[in-house]
Amino acid sequence: MPIELAPPAAARDSLLGNFIAGSWSNDGTDERVADLDPASGEPLIEVVRSPSRLATEALAVAAEAQQHWRRRSPLERASVISSAASLLRERSEQIAETMSREEGKPLPEARGEVGRAAEVLDVVAGYAHKPTGEVFPRRRQEQWLLTLSSPLGVVVVIAPWNFPLLIPAWKVAPALLAGNSVVLKPAETTPLTAAHLVQAFADAGLPPGALNLVLGRGSELGPALLQAPATAVSFTGSNNTGRELASRAVEQHMKFQLELGGSNPVLVLADADLDLTVREVVAGATSSSGQKCTATRRVYVEEGVVENFTEQLRAALAPLRLGPGIDAATDVGPLVSSEAKADFDGAVAEVEKVADVHAFGTQPEQGFFVRPRLALGGDPDHPLFREEIFGPMAALFAVADFEEGIARCNDTPFGLSASLFSSNLTHALAFADGIDAGMIHVNSQTTGAEPHIPFGGFKQSSSFSRELGRHGIEFFSQVKTVYLEGT
Ligand code: NAD
């Protein structure tokens, strides 16, 4: 059974290996770990756990390949990226099923992610037609002053499991377009989905070594990957890992980009369309089992409608069906791993000490499932409500008015996304202006990432760059200034 979930070339004897220098191999690896189906806890496939020297080898291979790849024209590089987009679309069903079985998200969400990843690749390829430098006013007629865009070299991409195709795709594609080579280290829990992305690029004609995949423990491979010849690292994951990587990147003089956690608020004003708001809050808090950096965590509701809204929200959460992602009846899949479930259960136990926590849905017997939770009656000043809890949990509080709502929304170390529900344009504009977050929604859920517009946060949610669109490509390039004198 497991083999069908991997790209045909990638898994031999139910074992997924590394992709280095253009071929799949388990050479140099002795240790194996099981890639589990979180809906059952059963293994899908065995995966190599690479020693750190394979990370070093992959960097050397990438450095060699980059010397050739950077000389291809941007249009040639874009054509490979476009072909990879087409292959993702052609393979959508197989990739979505792999993702759903491996990560746990419902199949429609997994299909959506494959489509979005293909769209990101198309958008990135389109940037090959845009200008990449500037011409400046000169001092003399014989002089030209201009800038060129240069690649960074070898880029390390370290990805999380919650968007196991989309996030690697939105980092790898712009890195390649800009003329870099890449070593990708996916999360331990989602190597099969990452293998599909790598296979799509290989089948699209990407030269060997331009994109390499190394599988294993982040804590073991990270130190070996953040070294020369790598020149940059793009990371999405937890704040603790991000902090560790950032200090290592500074030591190694590597450019770095971090996308980290969130504790994303929703403010509901009395003039909101409550039916719409309830739908969006349920989706924001429970899609992907709440395992999104942009998931809805805190809901502040104006006093006049809080009772009505709470009742409607509870009624909408009650019928949610928990089950395997590949089951068409499932609304909420399992968490990704037993560790994620233990963390979530621990966080719920803490919140239960300070609020009334209501649970919804029926707990399946097997797998890493957790019931969606709604915390009511807690003290909004409690530190627990400012932090990230990674799973389907939201806390609801009453606020006196718009001003208190804004202050409450901003009361967190994070600043990724925030939503306002209201029909008042003045409040919408004041919300967009007053919230300290990178992404603001009015009358839509806190989640979402369009492929052509910037993605990222304020405060502890990001380092100081953005992903996707033009900004996403800029991170992977550096400016070269040219003084050109005629003789
Ligand atoms: P994580 O930090 O545990 O792991 C992320 C990646 O880092 C994995 O590939 C892991 O193997 C690797 N890693 C772990 N330790 C490492 C080390 N010492 N050196 C190098 N690499 C190491 O995070 P996770 O649990 O996979 O992802 C969930 C987190 O990601 C949440 O906090 C979520 O909010 C965040 N996230 C943020 C965004 C965003 O864009 N802001 C998007 C998705 C997820």
Side-chain angles (χ1 to χ4, degrees), residues 159 161-162 185 188 218 236-238 241 244 259-260 293 388 455:
W161 42 265
N162 59 346
K185 201 219 75 64
E188 288 87 326
T236 297
S238 64
T241 309
E244 192 182 323
E259 289 300 338
L260 308 168
C293 52
E388 181 176 59
F455 182 96

Side-chain angles (χ1 to χ4, degrees), residues 232-275:
V233 57
S234 179
F235 168 80
T236 297
S238 64
N239 283 64
N240 285 343
T241 309
R243 258 189 294 275
E244 192 182 323
L245 287 179
S247 48
R248 191 174 288 276
V250 169
E251 272 170 29
Q252 298 290 323
H253 203 77
M254 288 171 72
K255 191 173 183 184
F256 66 91
Q257 175 179 55
L258 312 174
E259 289 300 338
L260 308 168
S263 174
N264 309 293
V266 163
L267 176 55
V268 184
L269 298 185
D271 61 6
D273 173 339
L274 289 195
D275 291 340

Side-chain angles (χ1 to χ4, degrees), residues 157-163 167 170-171 185-189 216-223 225-226 235-242 244-245 248 258-262 291-294 336 388 390 414 416 439 455-457 461-462 467:
V157 168
I158 301 182
W161 42 265
N162 59 346
F163 287 94
I167 290 179
W170 87 32
K171 292 175 186 289
K185 201 219 75 64
E188 288 87 326
T189 41
R217 279 256 168 94
S219 52
E220 289 165 10
L221 298 177
L225 286 171
L226 267 73
F235 168 80
T236 297
S238 64
N239 283 64
N240 285 343
T241 309
E244 192 182 323
L245 287 179
R248 191 174 288 276
L258 312 174
E259 289 300 338
L260 308 168
Q291 302 170 110
K292 291 184 183 179
C293 52
T294 49
V336 71
E388 181 176 59
F390 220 52
F414 296 106
L416 193 55
M439 294 174 288
F455 182 96
S461 287
S462 292
E467 301 199 279

Side-chain angles (χ1 to χ4, degrees), residues 391-476:
M393 171 174 243
L396 190 150
F397 310 94
V399 288
D401 52 24
F402 178 71
E403 281 68 31
E404 188 195 348
I406 289 265
R408 292 277 178 213
C409 286
N410 280 335
D411 185 17
T412 170
F414 296 106
L416 193 55
S417 70
S419 294
L420 173 73
F421 288 86
S422 169
S423 50
N424 181 317
L425 182 60
T426 307
H427 280 148
L429 294 171
F431 187 83
D433 195 38
I435 291 291
D436 299 329
M439 294 174 288
I440 307 295
H441 298 257
V442 175
N443 295 321
S444 63
Q445 57 183 286
T446 50
T447 65
E450 286 289 338
H452 56 300
I453 62 175
F455 182 96
F458 286 13
K459 300 196 275 186
Q460 292 182 22
S461 287
S462 292
S463 57
F464 312 100
S465 63
R466 290 289 178 271
E467 301 199 279
L468 295 176
R470 174 172 61 80
H471 298 75
I473 294 168
E474 279 169 4
F475 172 78
F476 295 104

